Amino acid sequence: MGERWQAVDDYIAGKLLGADDALATTLANNEKQGLPPIDVSAAQGKMLFLLAQMAGARRILEVGTLGGYSTIWLARALPEGGSLLTLELEAHHARVAQANLEAAGLAGKVEIRVGPAIESLAAMTDEAPFDFVFIDADKQSNVRYVEEAIRLGRSGTTIIVDNVVREGGVLEADSDDERIVGTRALFDRLSDNPRLDATAIQTVGAKGWDGFVLARVR
């Protein structure tokens, strides 16, 4: 089944996305620099691009930069004068992402802050509200990331949280996998959060069986 999913993703990319030298170069450089191959797929990247445009986002926050693949998709969605702030724990990943953004001609729109995302978020006390937030970092902290996204957003801010199905692992109430525990805690928090309207969508494709949360701040 996985090969079939990959083939469909390739078909979608061939029909609707086309070749993209900057993104291909980014993935090649990520591999060369030893980064794990856990970026969003091309189709998912285009989805992020379209959702950010649909939201009319001028200020975007990303939690989890890795090598900047999703960052490039999101930065491309910004209008003239827009900006993106992305948070990355690992200094090496941030350096690779910076080089990729410069090669893609987008470094002027993006700021990378290095360090634990929880600390970086807590230090944001005078930021203008973000219009769009993409969360794709350590799953154990997803509840805190979403709470910070609400604080740093506004009424109407879009919040996307990636990897919330985990091959069905989200059903495992007795799991000792911290990523699943964190994901289940996220669903618990979303279910009783008066500040959000939210749903989750399952996905299959090049990245296997997973899904994402789509939420909007009331």
Side-chain angles (χ1 to χ4, degrees):
M1 185 62 72
E3 291 182 2
R4 189 76 164 171
W5 293 344
Q6 177 69 65
V8 172
D9 257 18
D10 292 343
Y11 176 83
I12 291 169
K15 289 291 186 180
L16 303 180
L17 278 65
D20 192 310
D21 290 343
L23 291 170
T25 298
T26 293
L27 291 178
N29 190 41
N30 288 354
E31 182 179 9
K32 180 180 178 181
Q33 297 298 327
L35 273 60
I38 55 174
D39 312 271
V40 299
S41 70
Q44 291 166 345
K46 185 63 175 287
M47 180 194 73
L48 291 172
F49 167 86
L50 290 170
L51 288 173
Q53 283 196 327
M54 291 173 185
R58 296 187 60 85
R59 282 178 51 77
I60 296 175
L61 172 64
E62 179 182 48
V63 183
T65 314
L66 194 62
Y69 183 80
S70 57
T71 317
I72 290 172
W73 276 112
L74 289 168
R76 286 177 170 178
L78 289 167
E80 189 68 29
S83 63
L84 188 156
L85 173 60
T86 183
L87 309 179
E88 174 54 45
L89 174 64
E90 302 290 343
H92 173 60
H93 295 177
R95 288 192 293 271
V96 174
Q98 185 66 42
N100 289 334
L101 288 162
E102 290 172 0
L106 293 166
K109 288 188 172 184
V110 179
E111 177 189 353
I112 303 174
R113 293 186 187 173
V114 181
I118 289 297
E119 296 179 9
S120 297
L121 291 165
M124 296 182 201
T125 58
D126 57 357
E127 297 277 352
F130 291 97
D131 308 305
F132 190 97
V133 182
F134 177 50
I135 299 170
D136 189 10
D138 61 296
K139 312 312 171 186
Q140 301 91 314
S141 301
N142 272 344
V143 170
R144 295 184 67 185
Y145 293 150
V146 168
E147 293 290 353
E148 289 293 328
I150 295 169
R151 180 179 69 85
L152 294 166
R154 56 168 176 77
S155 177
T157 291
T158 298
I159 302 173
I160 307 292
V161 187
D162 202 9
N163 307 126
V164 300
V165 173
R166 314 204 64 80
E167 302 282 345
V170 70
L171 298 177
E172 299 171 8
D174 58 351
S175 175
D176 58 3
D177 184 329
E178 292 184 352
R179 296 166 298 179
I180 291 174
V181 173
T183 300
R184 288 177 60 86
L186 171 65
F187 275 101
D188 289 341
R189 187 66 187 98
L190 292 173
S191 71
D192 65 0
N193 194 316
R195 295 292 312 282
L196 293 177
D197 289 310
T199 189
I201 303 297
Q202 297 186 77
T203 60
V204 297
K207 299 300 178 178
W209 176 24
D210 214 326
F212 63 93
V213 161
L214 172 60
R216 183 177 184 272
V217 180
R218 292 174 177 166

